[in-house]
């Protein structure tokens, strides 16, 4: 940002550049499948779903070509936070 300010001025530094950043691996539909999978029974012989098991199953079911367990963790964390706000209300107000 500092370099953009020096080279292009204040306005350019304050505006985000389009097309930058990573493209999302999971769209809304894939996220819904992931959450539904997480709520289902874990594989036989397992007591619970792990991030790696969820990742493998999402690829096996061909919802995505590839996925990292970190992406799965981030989606589930976001969903848990949203659910907490819904159930508990926003206590910051």
């Amino acid at each position: 940002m500092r370099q953009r300010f020096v080279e292009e001025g204040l306005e350019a530094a304050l505006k985000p550049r389009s097309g930058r950043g990573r493209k999302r691996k999971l769209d809304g539909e894939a996220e819904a499948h992931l959450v539904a999978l997480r709520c289902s029974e874990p594989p036989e012989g397992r007591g619970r779903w792990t991030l790696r098991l969820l990742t493998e199953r999402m690829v096996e079911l061909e919802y995505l070509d590839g996925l990292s367990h970190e992406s799965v963790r981030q989606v589930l964390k976001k969903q848990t936070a949203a659910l907490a706000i819904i159930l508990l209300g926003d206590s910051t107000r």
Side-chain angles (χ1 to χ4, degrees):
M1 182 183 288
R2 187 180 316 157
Q3 183 175 358
R4 282 184 29 213
F5 172 73
V6 171
E7 293 175 359
E8 302 172 33
L10 179 61
E11 289 298 316
L14 294 177
K15 287 191 312 188
R17 288 185 174 171
S18 62
R20 304 215 18 119
R22 290 186 178 260
K23 188 176 181 183
R24 288 180 51 183
K25 280 276 198 181
L26 289 134
D27 60 9
E29 185 178 341
E31 283 187 14
H33 286 293
L34 174 60
V35 172
L37 183 61
R38 170 60 184 93
C39 293
S40 70
E41 289 292 318
E44 193 165 324
R46 299 291 187 138
R48 62 185 174 91
W49 284 102
T50 64
L51 296 176
R52 293 181 196 278
L53 284 173
L54 287 167
T55 302
E56 290 170 8
R57 186 62 56 92
M58 288 290 287
V59 174
E60 284 173 13
L61 295 172
E62 298 181 357
Y63 292 123
L64 301 156
D65 292 335
L67 183 65
S68 72
H69 66 277
E70 176 61 16
S71 295
V72 169
R73 185 194 68 78
Q74 290 174 0
V75 168
L76 295 178
K77 181 179 177 183
K78 181 175 71 171
Q79 294 297 327
T80 302
L83 183 60
I85 289 171
I86 291 169
L87 295 177
L88 303 175
D90 187 0
S91 61
T92 60
R93 292 183 197 178

